[in-house]
């Protein structure tokens, strides 16, 4: 059984002997007719997981295809037309904040920002996170264990097939997509707010 996944990143990792055409990876799953039902189900699960990962890797600035109704649902207290948001945010941040995209890991300088200050929304300048709650999660995205009170909204995100629903984090004021939260963070909250750097601006406490 063979499936073709278009992924420039994965094709570079393919063995030289395979020599797939540029930007294409062929994933082969050997599911024997003699395998037990449990083994066949396990292999299929691994295959589907690999296909999902390949799909994510192949989209450096993955942007979900939101319907006009979904976009309308992302209007908060601070709202603009989509053309105005493009002008305010720029192309890359617009894809993340208004189209629920995801930037590449380790692509934002804010991942390594260690100064004292406040991280504010790139769309509306609303304060979101204090630098005191930022920590190194090793994921490649700026991570925090707590948000400022009332700064963010949480909603269910079921946009990726074959994956369990995630918790999307949005700026409460403008409803811009920030990232996702997970329950593997440090104390005292146990929460990891995994944010896209393009959705944030950093305001240092001391500006010399």
């Amino acid at each position: 059984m063979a499936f073709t996944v278009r992924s420039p990143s994965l094709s570079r990792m393919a063995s030289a002997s395979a020599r797939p055409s540029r930007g294409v990876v062929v994933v082969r799953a050997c599911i024997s007719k003699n395998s037990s039902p449990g083994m066949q189900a396990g292999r299929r699960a691994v295959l589907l997981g690999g296909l999902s990962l390949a799909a994510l890797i192949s989209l450096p600035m993955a942007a979900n295809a939101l319907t006009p109704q979904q976009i309308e649902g992302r209007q908060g207290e601070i709202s603009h037309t989509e053309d105005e948001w493009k002008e305010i945010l720029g192309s890359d941040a617009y894809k993340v904040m208004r189209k629920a995209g995801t930037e590449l890991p380790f692509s934002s300088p804010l991942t390594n920002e260690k100064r004292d200050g406040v991280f504010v929304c790139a769309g509306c300048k609303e304060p979101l996170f204090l630098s005191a709650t930022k920590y190194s999660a090793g994921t490649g995205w700026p991570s925090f264990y707590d948000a400022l009170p009332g700064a963010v909204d949480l909603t269910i995100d079921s946009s990726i097939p074959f994956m369990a629903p995630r918790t999307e984090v949005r700026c409460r004021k403008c409803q811009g997509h920030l990232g996702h939260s997970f329950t593997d963070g440090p104390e005292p909250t146990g929460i990891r707010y995994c944010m896209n750097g393009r959705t944030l601006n950093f305001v240092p406490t001391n500006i010399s």
Side-chain angles (χ1 to χ4, degrees):
M1 183 185 300
F3 295 87
T4 299
V5 181
R6 300 193 176 276
S7 170
S9 301
L10 285 184
S11 60
R12 287 194 293 269
M13 294 187 290
S15 64
S17 60
R19 293 295 181 190
S21 59
R22 184 175 180 83
V24 176
V25 173
V26 177
V27 181
R28 298 191 180 277
C30 299
I31 303 178
S32 171
K33 293 182 179 179
N34 296 324
S35 299
S36 67
M39 291 178 64
Q40 293 182 23
R43 287 171 180 169
R44 289 192 181 96
V46 170
L47 173 62
L48 292 176
L51 292 175
S52 299
L53 176 61
L56 289 175
I57 294 175
S58 67
L59 298 174
M61 184 62 70
N64 295 328
L66 299 180
T67 66
Q69 291 78 14
Q70 288 173 318
I71 293 175
E72 181 66 26
R74 290 178 180 268
Q75 300 296 335
E77 295 177 25
I78 298 175
S79 63
H80 299 282
T81 67
E82 291 307 296
D83 286 339
E84 289 171 340
W85 277 124
K86 291 176 184 177
E87 182 69 23
I88 292 168
L89 296 171
S91 176
D92 286 348
Y94 174 81
K95 290 175 183 176
V96 176
M97 296 199 74
R98 308 311 305 180
K99 298 292 186 179
T102 300
E103 68 191 17
L104 281 173
F106 303 102
S107 63
S108 171
L110 293 185
T111 302
N112 297 317
E113 179 60 66
K114 300 182 185 301
R115 293 175 293 173
D116 292 336
V118 180
F119 292 84
V120 304
C121 175
C124 67
K125 313 308 178 188
E126 179 74 3
L128 301 175
F129 302 96
L130 295 177
S131 60
T133 64
K134 187 174 184 292
Y135 73 102
S136 177
T139 61
W141 290 280
S143 298
F144 307 84
Y145 62 77
D146 204 2
L148 285 168
V152 301
D153 285 342
L154 304 179
T155 186
I156 298 299
D157 176 8
S158 303
S159 61
I160 300 181
F162 313 120
M163 285 185 63
R166 298 174 296 168
T167 302
E168 180 189 2
V169 183
R170 300 181 188 178
C171 171
R172 184 186 64 80
K173 273 288 183 68
C174 69
Q175 288 297 297
H177 172 78
L178 301 174
H180 294 86
S181 70
F182 304 90
T183 57
D184 58 3
E187 295 297 336
T189 65
I191 302 296
R192 170 170 58 95
Y193 290 89
C194 186
M195 303 292 95
N196 290 281
R198 285 178 174 82
T199 71
L200 305 171
N201 289 330
F202 178 67
V203 180
T205 301
N206 298 315
I207 303 176
S208 56

